[in-house]
Amino acid sequence: MKLKMTGKMAFSAVLANKLRSFLTMLGIIIGVMAVTLLISLVQGASNSVTDQLDELGGDNLIVQVQGGNKKLTWHELQELEGKNGVKLVSPLVNGSGTVVANGESYDVTITGITDRYDEVQGLDLEEGRMISENDLDYRLNVIILGHGVAQELFGTTDILDRTVRLNGMDYRVIGVTEQTEDTMYGSADDTVYLPLTNAQRLVKSVAIRMFYASAEDPNNLKEPELALKQYMKGRFGDEDLYKVFNMTNVMDMIDDVMATLEVLLGAIAAISLVVGGIGIMNIMLVSVTERTREIGIRKAIGAQKSDIILQFLIESVILSLMGGLLGMAISQGILSAVNSAYPDYHFVITSSVAGMALGFSIFVGVVFGIYPAAKAANLKPIYALRYE
């Protein structure tokens, strides 16, 4: 009952000076906004980068040839499959060209793939089928169009068995990819996929300069990574002529960097909360001076020091908590606006961030409210009653 009455008195004191209370809360509002916005933006950016890397093959190995006179061939790479933890190998051949159909032309990226590509790297089709082993063996003129290419040329994706001309050669459409979002690595919507053997003839190069490899155990990439490094070193000798990327390591490194950045930005933003706490302490000290007679009357009619301390601490916590809630509401509004402007990202205030920001704001309210509360509680009733 006593706590309830003390709480009511604290609320009344806060509401009695609305403008001053708001100005007191302003430091906390800005501090909570800074903490929640910065951490949420870092988390959202980190998740976006991780998702994009995962789409590139989060549990795969990527090998790139960067120079040298020796060449890799598809048949040589097939020998790696089923050995030393390597499950499948999916080579690529890239080039560029122009697709012509239906009176329209479109510049595209040409990617030659094998029947392993879908299982190793993944390719989502809206219509049709993947490249097959038969397509590779007979170098058939079949093609999978990116969603954007199909829409540009035909205005629809219902185009199976239609014919398009690529760099002067006719190809039969066997599939259309699903529409994808643009990423930092470009968009697959402007890509066409051919059988590897056909693409090699089209781009006039049989050399494999890049390939993906999947592991027999997706949770253990160390053994196949070591096997690929030994294979490439045996072929090229100089390690500067090739690179083996473990996408799991890349994502772990990005997570570590983002986590460090999150802590640093959170610590910098927390300074605003400390400044807000100093503002609360200053205003509470002014309030103690203004309410000296009130404190004297309460102590004269039997209020204990603990009652006075509790009242002023509750006032301080109310100010910091209301400031924290307002700051979080404003942050959520800003993040919603950012999400609307940049739909490729998704920024949210997680429960952990919200709990940390509110908890720290309350902590600031308690810490910076102790001294004013103690000063009020230590006033002697006789001096307080005589105060004008």
Side-chain angles (χ1 to χ4, degrees):
M1 188 66 180
K2 183 185 293 187
L3 181 61
K4 184 177 180 181
M5 289 299 298
T6 304
K8 286 184 177 180
M9 292 177 65
F11 267 108
S12 299
V14 170
L15 295 176
N17 296 281
K18 296 183 179 63
L19 180 59
R20 188 170 71 179
S21 296
F22 174 74
L23 294 176
T24 304
M25 291 186 294
L26 198 56
I28 299 296
I29 292 172
I30 295 173
V32 170
M33 281 179 56
V35 170
T36 54
L37 280 177
L38 289 176
I39 295 179
S40 297
L41 289 173
V42 170
Q43 289 181 343
S46 176
N47 292 336
S48 178
V49 172
T50 301
D51 290 343
Q52 291 179 22
L53 287 174
D54 192 52
E55 290 177 3
L56 289 177
D59 55 357
N60 290 335
L61 297 163
I62 302 175
V63 180
Q64 288 184 332
V65 178
Q66 299 178 318
N69 297 322
K70 295 183 178 180
K71 308 296 182 183
L72 295 175
T73 67
W74 168 219
H75 293 295
E76 290 172 341
L77 292 178
Q78 284 179 301
E79 297 175 359
L80 292 171
E81 296 182 343
K83 299 178 182 178
N84 301 313
V86 178
K87 183 179 180 182
L88 295 174
V89 175
S90 175
L92 301 179
V93 168
N94 291 311
S96 60
T98 302
V99 178
V100 180
N102 204 32
E104 303 286 343
S105 63
Y106 197 74
D107 293 332
V108 297
T109 298
I110 300 170
T111 300
I113 60 176
T114 69
D115 54 329
R116 271 85 160 167
Y117 185 84
D118 184 41
E119 185 174 349
V120 176
Q121 184 64 9
L123 186 64
D124 296 324
L125 298 182
E126 183 176 322
E127 300 284 346
R129 66 172 178 84
M130 271 295 297
I131 301 295
S132 69
E133 187 175 357
N134 191 59
D135 299 327
L136 293 162
D137 291 341
Y138 293 97
R139 299 184 180 181
L140 298 182
N141 285 13
V142 294
I143 191 170
I144 297 174
L145 299 183
H147 188 277
V149 180
Q151 288 289 347
E152 184 71 21
L153 296 178
F154 298 98
T156 178
T157 56
D158 186 17
I159 56 172
L160 295 184
D161 294 325
R162 300 282 290 270
T163 300
V164 299
R165 181 171 285 267
L166 174 62
N167 289 2
M169 297 184 65
D170 290 337
Y171 286 82
R172 179 171 62 90
V173 178
I174 62 170
V176 178
T177 66
E178 290 184 356
Q179 186 173 12
T180 59
E181 296 179 350
D182 291 339
T183 69
M184 66 179 73
Y185 309 100
S187 172
D189 289 349
D190 299 329
T191 301
V192 297
Y193 300 89
L194 307 179
L196 177 71
T197 49
N198 191 295
Q200 288 174 322
R201 181 174 58 186
L202 189 68
V203 301
K204 297 180 175 59
S205 175
V206 298
I208 305 297
R209 306 197 66 83
M210 177 179 176
F211 65 90
Y212 293 95
S214 63
E216 293 180 349
D217 181 5
N219 297 318
N220 181 19
L221 297 182
K222 291 184 179 180
E223 182 183 359
E225 180 182 7
L226 179 60
L228 290 177
K229 286 180 177 179
Q230 290 175 342
Y231 176 80
M232 296 299 292
K233 186 171 181 60
R235 291 299 306 272
F236 291 87
D238 188 352
E239 295 183 1
D240 293 334
L241 299 179
Y242 63 89
K243 293 292 181 184
V244 179
F245 297 95
N246 183 334
M247 296 305 293
T248 301
N249 290 342
V250 174
M251 288 191 289
D252 289 343
M253 181 178 65
I254 290 176
D255 287 341
D256 291 341
V257 171
M258 289 298 185
T260 302
L261 185 61
E262 185 179 317
V263 172
L264 289 176
L265 291 177
I268 293 171
I271 296 174
S272 298
L273 280 174
V274 175
V275 173
I278 295 173
I280 288 178
M281 183 173 67
N282 289 335
I283 296 301
M284 292 300 293
L285 287 172
V286 172
S287 179
V288 169
T289 302
E290 290 179 346
R291 295 157 62 188
T292 300
R293 286 186 60 82
E294 173 196 328
I295 297 167
I297 293 171
R298 288 200 64 196
K299 296 190 75 172
I301 61 176
Q304 302 296 316
K305 289 179 64 173
S306 59
D307 298 327
I308 304 298
I309 289 175
L310 186 61
Q311 178 184 347
F312 279 86
L313 275 181
I314 290 176
E315 288 183 29
S316 178
V317 170
I318 289 172
L319 290 171
S320 61
L321 181 58
M322 290 178 64
L325 292 173
L326 282 172
M328 198 163 298
I330 296 172
S331 296
Q332 185 59 56
I334 293 173
L335 291 177
S336 297
V338 172
N339 288 332
S340 299
Y342 301 96
D344 293 344
Y345 294 89
H346 186 57
F347 300 108
V348 296
I349 300 175
T350 62
S351 58
S352 60
V353 173
M356 181 192 68
L358 285 179
F360 193 55
S361 65
I362 293 173
F363 174 75
V364 166
V366 172
V367 170
F368 287 94
I370 288 176
Y371 177 68
K375 183 177 179 180
N378 289 326
L379 286 175
K380 296 187 181 300
I382 188 64
Y383 296 141
L385 288 171
R386 292 169 55 186
Y387 181 83
E388 294 293 340

